[in-house]
Structures are given as C-alpha cells and as structure tokens.
C-alpha cells in the first residue's frame, strides 16, 4: 500500500527521566511523521510494549507534559497554527491522557464528566446531550449514566475515561493500557474507537501501551519495544527503545492480521524477553 510521510508530528530527542537520582528511562529518540495515503484519512497509531517496570508509564507522563524530562526534548507539531508546520515543546494539556488508573472526577457522574469534557466545544446543549447519549449507548454505559466513579466497575471507569479524552483532546492522545480490564466486547468497542479517531484527521495520533502483543501488532502502524538495553554485555537498569517495528515499511499496516503479523509477534516477544 503506497503512502508518503509529511510533517513531523512528534519528535523526541535524547529523552531521559529520573526520579531523584534514579534514572528510569534514558536515550529515547524517535520521530513520527504525518502519514498520507491517497484516498484515505490516516492518523498515526503507535504502540509501546515492554515488560513491567521498564518505563512505559514514565515515558507517557513525559509525552503528556506531566513530568519534566531530565534531559532532552519532546516537540509536537503545533497543529493549531500553520497547518502543523510549527513545532512546540509539549506542555500539560496538549495531549489527552488516559492513565493506567483511569482517574475520573470523584464528584461528577459519568454524564456530568462527559458534559464537562465537551465544555469548550461549539455545540448547543441538545447537540452535546445527543453526542453523550450516543457514545454512552455505543460503549455500553447507558445504565451507568448517573453513577459516580466509586459506583462503577473498572471497565466502566476506563471506558468513561477514554470517551472523556476523545471529547476533549486535540490531535494527540496517550492511553496507558487501554485494553486491560476490558471484556471482549469492550475491546472491540475500543478498537473501533481507535479506528474512528485515526480516520477523522491525518494529524490524529494515538499512542498506547499494552501487554497484549497481538493487539499491538493488529492495531498499530508503529511499534516500540521498551526494555533494559544490554551494553557491553551488561544489562542496564533503565528503560529505552530496544526495538522498533515500522509496520508501514514492513507492508503490514492497515491490513487484516495474518502470517506476517504473527512473525512480528514472535520477534517482539524475543526482544522483550531479552530486555
Ligand atoms: N514517582 C516515582 N518515583 C520513583 N520511582 C518511580 C515513580 N514512578 C515510577 N517509578 C519507577 O519507575 C520504573 C518504571 O515504572 P513505570 O510505571 O514507568 O513502568 P511501566 O513500564 O509502565 O510498568 P507496567 O507495565 O507495570 O505498567 C519502576 O521501577 C517504578 O518503580
Ligand atoms: Mg505502566
């Protein structure tokens, strides 16, 4: 499938994050560009996999501006001006974030939280209501509409958090383990939502982490493996990118899961076990 690469949407250079004097991630470098395919709107879907504790959530906190990098920089295209030709350093609020714990407003019901997420949209009250109701029904949350977070199941909380970010984030969205705790039906809903978001605008960039390697390979067009590197035969104890699979270049992106994908699953597992 032919495609071309345009503006740089995300540029990460020499990124490291330390908590106190403990280095958690280091030497992270990667670039993601706007992918253009003729006849279709194609956003970027980027997966991060890696064993527990290797620094995926830490990387995401940096990518969303929630923690300041210790070294390096994270630039995103300033998609609001100049057709995305300007770059800016990422700041808190630029990138939507669904964290691993699905934090929600404690004092707002599902409906109120979603209404709040739409506060800056130029829509009438009725339009907002209709939009919320249609998402609630699509995501199986109708019955939870007037419930507070402490009255929701983990999966319901998570779906609410995902819809919240769909409603209020711009072109970038980071989801930390969006599929954990979802049942098969919910996973299908989340997958459809990913496809929908990424087909709305070619700048739309979804980054997610997952422990489900098959789901990474099935959905993403770019996959990064985060792990401990081996340097001079020694295992280092900070996370970095140990492997990258560009599914577009491998001619596996935007396709049904097949043998080629299975081979990548195998390679990812090998890379993870070694790091
Ligand atoms: N606020 C913090 N202060 C100190 N250390 C931290 C802090 N947050 C995370 N860490 C440490 O950073 C390392 C990476 O954690 P992180 O949560 O980024 O890993 P992860 O890859 O997301 O793991 P998982 O797959 O289990 O979610 C861990 O050793 C963790 O203990
Ligand atoms: Mg994590």
């Amino acid at each position: 499938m032919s495609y071309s690469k345009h503006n740089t949407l995300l540029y990460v250079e020499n990124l490291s994050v330390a908590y106190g004097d403990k280095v958690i991630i280091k030497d992270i470098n990667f670039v993601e560009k706007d992918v253009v395919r003729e006849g279709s709107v194609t956003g970027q879907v980027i997966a991060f996999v890696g064993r527990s504790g290797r620094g995926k959530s830490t990387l995401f906190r940096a990518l969303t501006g929630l923690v300041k990098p210790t070294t390096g920089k994270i630039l995103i295209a300033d998609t609001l001006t100049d057709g995305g030709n300007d770059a800016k350093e990422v700041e808190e609020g630029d990138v939507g974030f669904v964290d691993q714990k699905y934090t929600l407003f404690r004092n707002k019901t599902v409906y109120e939280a979603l209404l709040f997420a739409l506060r800056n949209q130029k829509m009438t009250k009725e339009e907002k209501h209709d939009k919320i109701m249609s998402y609630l029904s699509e995501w199986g949350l109708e019955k939870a509409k007037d419930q507070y977070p402490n009255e929701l199941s983990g999966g319901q909380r998570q779906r609410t958090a995902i819809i919240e970010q769909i409603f209020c984030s711009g072109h970038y969205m980071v989801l930390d383990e969006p599929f954990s705790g979802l049942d098969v039906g919910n996973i299908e809903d989340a997958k459809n939502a990913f496809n929908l978001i990424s087909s709305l605008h070619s700048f739309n960039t979804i980054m997610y982490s997952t422990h489900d390697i098959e789901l990474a390979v099935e959905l993403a067009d770019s996959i990064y493996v985060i792990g401990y590197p081996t340097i001079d035969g020694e295992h280092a104890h900070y996370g970095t990118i140990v492997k990258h699979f560009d599914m577009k270049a491998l001619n596996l992106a935007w396709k049904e899961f097949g043998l080629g994908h299975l081979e990548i699953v195998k390679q990812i597992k090998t890379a993870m076990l070694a790091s």
Side-chain angles (χ1 to χ4, degrees), residues 19 22 24 52-58 61 100 177 211:
Y19 290 122
K22 188 170 181 244
I24 307 292
S52 184
R54 297 316 193 251
K56 299 177 298 295
S57 298
T58 303
R61 268 178 235 128
Q100 216 169 336
E177 301 198 21
H211 285 284

